[in-house]
Amino acid sequence: QMLGLKSHRFAQLSPRCGMNVELPDNRDIPKDVLEQFKENFDLLDADRDGCLRHDEVSILFRAFGQNPTDQELAQMLESEPKLMDYETFISFFQNNYSPPTGEDVLIQAFHVFDIVEEGKITAEKFREVMTTLGDVLPPNEVEEMLKEARAGADGKFDYREFARHLVEGPQGIPKMP
């Protein structure tokens, strides 16, 4: 997706969730991160059967800084069992991991559209870029992102602040239906 972004509408899960996990080249997950994965896996496992459904796996995958589009995530999950235990989730995360997009990369990308060099871009320009350039996002996902951008009355938002917010990652998990 354009800029490596995905909308982040989240409710609180665990104070130790909502982080960008960065794995070394060998993709070994450090012990403290494994503990966070387990804690949040267990919190999402509402029926306490030791397994998560694909929609729950998607939530946890994104809560730890991974931002595939819905279509990309559906493809990743296609060959996975419908119910995923903790060990399978760890393997899934390692196999599908991509390094999180950094704040400076996002700021540079947004800066291209800051014609007057004021540190802001219009919601209209953001909407246009995200729905027409590169791997486009569906309009509803772009609108969710724009809600978080908090545009002012002039229709502009501070893209540095928005990039910082996106890089911080989700602060929990989406509300379940």
Side-chain angles (χ1 to χ4, degrees):
Q1 66 274 10
M2 177 71 178
L3 307 176
L5 304 177
K6 181 77 181 139
S7 73
H8 297 292
R9 191 175 67 184
F10 292 88
Q12 283 302 97
L13 176 60
S14 166
R16 292 163 29 110
C17 190
M19 60 181 277
N20 284 323
V21 173
E22 294 191 42
L23 300 183
D25 290 339
N26 65 7
R27 297 190 180 207
D28 284 344
I29 302 174
K31 184 180 179 195
D32 63 321
V33 174
L34 282 172
E35 290 170 4
Q36 293 172 21
F37 278 19
K38 181 65 172 149
E39 177 182 341
N40 288 286
F41 183 96
D42 291 344
L43 285 170
L44 267 177
D45 182 14
D47 61 5
R48 304 286 183 241
D49 66 352
C51 294
L52 298 181
R53 298 181 318 267
H54 282 188
D55 61 325
E56 296 166 324
V57 168
S58 299
I59 291 166
L60 195 55
F61 190 65
R62 287 181 172 141
F64 283 104
Q66 299 300 293
N67 292 307
T69 64
D70 290 340
Q71 182 179 9
E72 290 167 338
L73 194 50
Q75 289 172 341
M76 289 177 202
L77 289 166
E78 232 170 45
S79 61
E80 298 293 336
K82 295 293 180 206
L83 292 175
M84 197 179 291
D85 65 19
Y86 176 71
E87 294 302 323
T88 305
F89 173 77
I90 295 302
S91 176
F92 172 80
F93 189 91
Q94 288 172 308
N95 292 336
N96 294 288
Y97 170 82
S98 30
T101 304
E103 182 178 338
D104 56 333
V105 171
L106 292 174
I107 290 171
Q108 287 175 2
F110 290 143
H111 184 258
V112 170
F113 304 103
D114 181 10
I115 308 301
V116 293
E117 298 280 329
E118 64 181 347
K120 295 182 178 188
I121 56 176
T122 65
E124 181 180 334
K125 177 55 80 175
F126 182 80
R127 188 178 291 112
E128 175 188 331
V129 169
M130 298 303 286
T131 58
T132 61
L133 297 178
D135 294 333
V136 301
L137 289 176
N140 63 318
E141 289 184 20
V142 174
E143 293 307 316
E144 286 297 318
M145 292 176 74
L146 282 170
K147 286 179 188 174
E148 294 185 35
R150 297 187 290 266
D154 61 357
K156 297 179 181 180
F157 62 90
D158 181 325
Y159 59 82
R160 289 177 182 88
E161 180 182 314
F162 185 54
R164 199 169 15 264
H165 174 72
L166 290 172
V167 170
E168 285 173 359
Q171 302 304 308
I173 60 168
K175 294 182 190 252
M176 297 299 292

